[in-house]
Amino acid sequence: MADDVRKSVLLTPFDLNGLRNSGADVTVLAVHSINPYTGQPSFKGQRIEGAVDTEAYSDFQSPPSVEGGQRPLPEISILQEKARRWGLRPESTIVIYDGDRSMTAARAWWVLKWAGLPDVRVLDGGFPAWALAGLPTTDAVTTVQPSTIVLSPGHMPEFGARDALRFGEEGVLLDARIRPNYIGGSIAEGQPARGHIPYAISAPAPDNVTDYGNFTDSATLKEMYRALGVDGSCDVGVYCGAGMSAAHTVLALAAIGIPAAMYPGSWSAWVSDATRPVITGADPF
């Protein structure tokens, strides 16, 4: 049963290969990006055969805004137009991969689920795992038959600044950023505040994966989150810097059967209002 839950959101390379060879209706999306720290592109010229190219920082978000933060959710009409160009259909199993520990793939997974696609999964370990498994790759660009899919927003649990404190007080609020960002501290003049939302518990999203880039086994994920108070007995909310690492943690929790809501604007939206409280240090409050 636990394996079925995990496979409902995460597929190994051999799972995906077997699904495609079985004749199942599968659409594969490759999420490419430019590393914001190194400037290096994630795409190195090879893709899984038949994969449709998408771009992490333009296709699955809108331009920054004060209320929406650094990565607001995409306008549904624009996302729908792109989904049609990608050939997405509601009856397909959509499998998403990237080249960076599923960080951008998780965001795409969350956005497409939010937009109403019923069966969206992530390739565990992404393109590196596929290539390491010795499965075929190609440099050929995929030609797609456009679809007529209709999308609508609101199909994933989400919350905003008003509900963030409620999650912390009545359930569990997880901060998926790396720990130095959670702890915060001094800032240069004119820069946004650093620290965390009151009651938030530090739970860095990179801890969801192993050194090889695949999600850690389900038993370890369950124990890791149980120690943070996440055991399925209360509501869980997740935020990060701008809604990417948080999606990764929502995906990790879904793989062990625990639903969680995401704050799409996350910290970048929270600190847009200087009256909202900011906690610094290693303690939740």
Side-chain angles (χ1 to χ4, degrees), residues 51-72:
V52 180
D53 295 330
T54 67
E55 207 287 319
Y57 297 110
S58 58
D59 290 335
F60 301 103
Q61 65 182 61
S62 295
S65 68
V66 173
E67 287 300 316
Q70 288 297 309
R71 296 193 181 100

Side-chain angles (χ1 to χ4, degrees), residues 3-82:
D3 192 48
D4 290 341
V5 170
R6 186 178 176 104
K7 285 187 178 182
S8 70
V9 292
L10 289 173
L11 293 178
T12 69
F14 292 111
D15 289 336
L16 173 57
N17 195 49
L19 197 62
R20 282 159 49 113
N21 289 339
S22 73
D25 186 351
V26 181
T27 300
V28 179
L29 295 183
V31 181
H32 305 309
S33 62
I34 302 295
N35 187 300
Y37 304 106
T38 67
Q40 295 299 309
S42 65
F43 182 57
K44 306 300 183 184
Q46 292 289 308
R47 61 178 63 79
I48 296 174
E49 186 175 8
V52 180
D53 295 330
T54 67
E55 207 287 319
Y57 297 110
S58 58
D59 290 335
F60 301 103
Q61 65 182 61
S62 295
S65 68
V66 173
E67 287 300 316
Q70 288 297 309
R71 296 193 181 100
L73 296 177
E75 292 291 336
I76 197 67
S77 59
I78 297 174
L79 181 64
Q80 177 177 280
E81 179 185 345
K82 292 179 178 182

